[in-house]
Amino acid sequence: MRTISADACVIGTGAGGAPVAALLAEAGMRVVVLEEGELHGPETMTARPRDMMPRLYRDAGQIATVGNPPIVLPLGRGVGGTTLINSGTCFRTPQDVLDRWRADHGLELDLEEEFALVEEAIGVREVPPEIAGRNANLVKEGADRLGISAGYLKRNARGCIGSGVCAFGCPTGAKQHAGQVWIPRAQAAGAELHTNARARRLVVENGRVRGVETRDLRVAADRVIVAAGALLTPLLLRANRIGAASGQLGGNLTIHPASAARALYDEPIDPWTGVPQSVYVDELAADGIMLEGIAGPPDQGAMSTPRSGAEHRDLMLNARRTGSFGVMVSDSARGSVRRIAGRMLVRYDLHPGDAERFRRGFELLARIFFAAGAHEVIVPIDGVPTLRDGDVTPLQRLRVRPRQISAMAFHPLGTARAGADPATSVVDPDLQVHGIEGLHVADGSVVPSSLGVNPQITIMALAARLARRLTNAG
Amino acid sequence: MIARERTNVVRVIELCVAPLPPLPPVRETDAVQALERSLAAGPKVNAIALRVALLLVGLGLRRGPLAKAVGSLAHLHYYGDARVMRLLGYDPDAVLARATEARVA
């Protein structure tokens, strides 16, 4: 086994690992970065969702929770992690969430400087209406007509032309994902990137981390930052018998369950044209319900369009006139991730209260669709008929159960949560694993609770804060 | 997959998609080959579970999470065929040409 030495070894190149690697390298540290996946440049993208999924998604996009209902949980795999295949939406951590973390977890976080730093680095700006796509602009118009709070989202993109396939690899190279921004910065500052390198063993001696091993490489380092994501980080820690003392490792999983409704318009809107996630509706945000755009090419749309057989076919034949928009809930349920018989098992049951949140979100969305000119609305709740002529009463009357909801989820968080008390958390407020000197976690797993908004800015800001602490500590 | 299993997969996709002109029959698309590639790229345990699910749907299972998963797979792989996508109005080559031009510029 080859051994190399570094001041810090970073495991993972997603929203957490990549900024830490860049900022530590730029501060003069010798940094080694281990990435399980490969490098995918924009020139390798095909704008064909079906064919990109096996290349860019972990387990070919087939990760699903076990529970009621089963929920597909797509994750990215490659340099950039899930930022390679996310929609690019950028929200700062809501202040009420930070206040709750202070009260419940003893986390004193002032992230203003870090927010500004990462937003500048990844080019965060509001989507211009010209590239927002007709699908999203119609929803914005409908919300405006009803006096419902809505706006254009902020995204990390430079030179975006609205190719419509953010979630399947940006072919323009406009999306400023972690592998496109932070990793090149890290390398320019001297960091060494190893792809196809899966961390297997964390070397710990006398309560202090000493390095990381892959199948054929040992990285000797007194600082190790685990950033493998909220599903894999707890598995890596547990496999090394680290971080389990509180009983919280792998638990507290929140996922932001999400789902999408369809609307049939008279005019062609070509939902694959423009930025897929460009508009939000935050009218119900205080209740943990967020509406965000989702759209894409026909295969992506077909996969999540409710119905089957002839009904589904008729919807697809009208694909050019079919709009779609998502509902995301800030979940109150908690799941877990474990390794059973060598396989990752994600347990999660949708809370009945969150099913009700979906119902309320879809009711609001249906009203907006109708105000925008739709004449039919299809919601992904079993037993709800197609809504017609502005009538949302079938949704109003409904007592929805979790098993009726068809959902996906994109934001696993919380499985190695941060907190001041070692009895109730896995890492301390400086993201160091309780009791293991030099071993830190910087990814969604440290986020102690559901955010209610897309998490990449929160994760990057926490990672930037960690990098600052490590460089200040010398 | 052996020929018999492939025949069942074609039948299941036909059932989920119900193609009528102008949509081509499943046999005239690359849906089954693409589905095989996806199963091969995922975990073995998933491939086994999904192949069993395809069999069950072929035998008449119409409800529940397994049937839903099979439906999603069938829809994704049929509508990802290049000819079908173009027929519905989406041209990935045109998207790529625009993207390449923007990238180079």
Side-chain angles (χ1 to χ4, degrees):
Chain A
M1 182 179 286
R2 188 163 68 98
T3 299
I4 52 177
S5 296
D7 296 317
C9 179
V10 179
I11 302 168
T13 59
V20 171
L23 296 170
L24 292 182
E26 288 171 351
M29 284 191 179
R30 291 172 303 144
V31 176
V32 170
V33 185
L34 303 176
E35 166 55 50
E36 181 187 8
E38 296 176 3
L39 184 65
H40 301 277
E43 68 287 350
T44 68
M45 307 307 177
T46 68
R48 291 166 169 81
R50 180 193 74 179
D51 301 336
M52 292 309 296
M53 283 175 71
R55 286 176 51 196
L56 303 185
Y57 283 66
R58 173 170 296 281
D59 291 351
Q62 296 169 17
I63 298 173
T65 61
V66 175
N68 178 27
I71 296 174
V72 177
L73 192 46
L75 300 177
R77 187 176 190 268
V79 175
T82 297
T83 67
L84 181 64
I85 50 99
N86 72 6
S87 296
T89 294
C90 293
F91 281 102
R92 292 186 174 191
T93 322
Q95 189 56 50
D96 64 309
V97 173
L98 290 170
D99 292 343
R100 204 164 58 234
W101 292 353
R102 182 176 297 113
D104 295 349
H105 303 283
L107 295 176
E108 298 285 345
L109 298 173
D110 178 3
L111 296 173
E112 288 300 307
E113 277 183 44
E114 286 80 8
F115 287 145
L117 184 150
V118 302
E119 286 169 350
E120 168 62 23
I122 63 174
V124 175
R125 63 204 67 192
E126 192 172 285
V127 179
E130 309 84 72
I131 61 164
R134 189 72 183 127
N135 176 57
N137 278 324
L138 277 168
V139 169
K140 177 77 168 56
E141 287 169 27
D144 290 347
R145 259 177 222 141
L146 297 173
I148 288 167
S149 176
Y152 290 98
L153 285 161
K154 289 183 176 175
R155 297 171 67 246
N156 51 323
R158 291 186 169 100
C160 176
I161 58 168
S163 297
V165 283
C166 307
F168 304 95
C170 176
T172 315
K175 188 169 76 174
Q176 303 292 288
H177 67 78
Q180 180 144 326
V181 174
W182 296 108
I183 291 300
R185 272 178 60 168
Q187 289 176 299
E192 200 176 306
L193 171 67
H194 294 259
T195 54
N196 296 306
R198 179 174 193 159
R200 292 185 165 192
R201 181 165 171 250
L202 301 171
V203 182
V204 176
E205 294 167 358
N206 301 320
R208 161 143 214 121
V209 74
R210 294 296 182 194
V212 183
E213 289 177 5
T214 69
R215 191 172 55 187
D216 50 15
L217 179 69
R218 177 172 187 193
V219 183
D222 284 344
R223 295 281 186 198
V224 170
I225 297 94
V226 182
L231 297 188
L232 295 172
T233 284
L235 299 186
L236 178 63
L237 294 178
R238 189 176 290 279
N240 285 275
R241 299 168 191 270
I242 290 169
S246 66
Q248 303 298 322
L249 185 66
N252 304 305
L253 174 69
T254 61
I255 59 176
H256 281 163
S259 191
R262 301 287 186 277
L264 200 60
Y265 295 101
D266 290 327
E267 58 170 314
I269 61 162
D270 291 343
W272 40 79
T273 305
V275 176
Q277 196 163 83
S278 54
V279 162
Y280 68 92
V281 176
D282 63 351
E283 181 78 11
L284 301 175
D287 296 335
I289 303 164
M290 194 74 173
L291 277 52
E292 292 182 1
I294 183 164
D299 47 353
Q300 181 199 4
M303 179 174 52
S304 53
T305 293
R307 314 283 192 256
S308 195
E311 271 188 289
H312 188 278
R313 176 200 63 216
D314 292 345
L315 286 169
M316 290 308 299
L317 285 171
N318 282 311
R320 290 195 65 199
R321 298 193 290 121
T322 304
S324 68
F325 214 79
V327 174
M328 180 175 89
V329 304
S330 183
D331 40 344
S332 41
R334 295 291 178 269
S336 65
V337 59
R338 297 275 185 277
R339 191 179 292 283
I340 308 274
R343 291 294 309 163
M344 177 169 70
L345 180 78
V346 185
R347 278 281 297 123
Y348 186 90
D349 292 313
L350 189 69
H351 190 280
D354 294 337
E356 167 60 14
R357 285 195 175 102
F358 271 116
R359 190 202 62 74
R360 288 182 62 203
F362 282 125
E363 184 190 333
L364 178 69
L365 181 54
R367 287 174 51 217
I368 293 170
F369 275 146
F370 285 128
H375 54 80
E376 283 185 11
V377 173
I378 299 105
V379 298
I381 303 177
D382 288 350
V384 177
T386 298
L387 307 175
R388 293 192 169 87
D389 305 322
D391 181 12
V392 298
T393 49
L395 269 176
Q396 289 170 328
R397 285 199 297 254
L398 189 70
R399 183 156 177 263
V400 65
R401 294 183 172 84
R403 66 179 160 81
Q404 291 175 268
I405 306 279
S406 295
M408 298 178 83
F410 305 93
H411 307 147
L413 302 169
T415 52
R417 73 181 180 192
D421 184 355
T424 58
S425 57
V426 177
V427 301
D428 69 17
D430 285 338
L431 308 186
Q432 179 169 272
V433 176
H434 289 297
I436 309 288
E437 202 178 338
L439 181 62
H440 297 260
V441 177
D443 58 29
S445 57
V446 302
V447 174
S449 71
S450 193
L451 290 167
V453 295
N454 308 52
Q456 69 170 343
I457 293 295
T458 297
I459 296 169
M460 286 188 192
L462 289 170
R465 179 176 175 273
L466 170 61
R468 193 189 303 257
R469 301 267 168 147
L470 293 178
T471 50
N472 286 347
Chain B
M1 283 185 194
I2 58 171
R4 203 162 160 187
E5 189 177 0
R6 244 181 232 122
T7 304
N8 178 61
V9 172
V10 169
R11 193 168 63 235
V12 169
I13 299 177
E14 292 273 359
L15 191 74
C16 296
V17 175
L20 281 181
L23 294 173
V26 175
R27 284 189 191 282
E28 291 179 18
T29 70
D30 65 355
V32 177
Q33 294 93 314
L35 178 60
E36 282 190 76
R37 281 197 298 274
S38 292
L39 293 181
K44 275 184 186 161
V45 65
N46 286 29
I48 293 166
L50 289 168
R51 287 171 74 173
V52 169
L54 283 159
L55 187 66
L56 292 175
V57 172
L59 290 172
L61 177 76
R62 296 287 182 271
R63 287 176 177 275
L66 273 181
K68 262 190 189 175
V70 165
S72 289
L73 271 185
H75 293 139
L76 170 69
H77 289 88
Y78 177 84
Y79 286 102
D81 177 85
R83 178 181 159 200
V84 174
M85 285 201 285
R86 283 197 187 87
L87 204 144
L88 294 180
Y90 176 70
D91 182 353
D93 293 330
V95 172
L96 280 184
R98 277 183 67 224
T100 304
E101 197 178 315
R103 196 171 65 237
V104 172

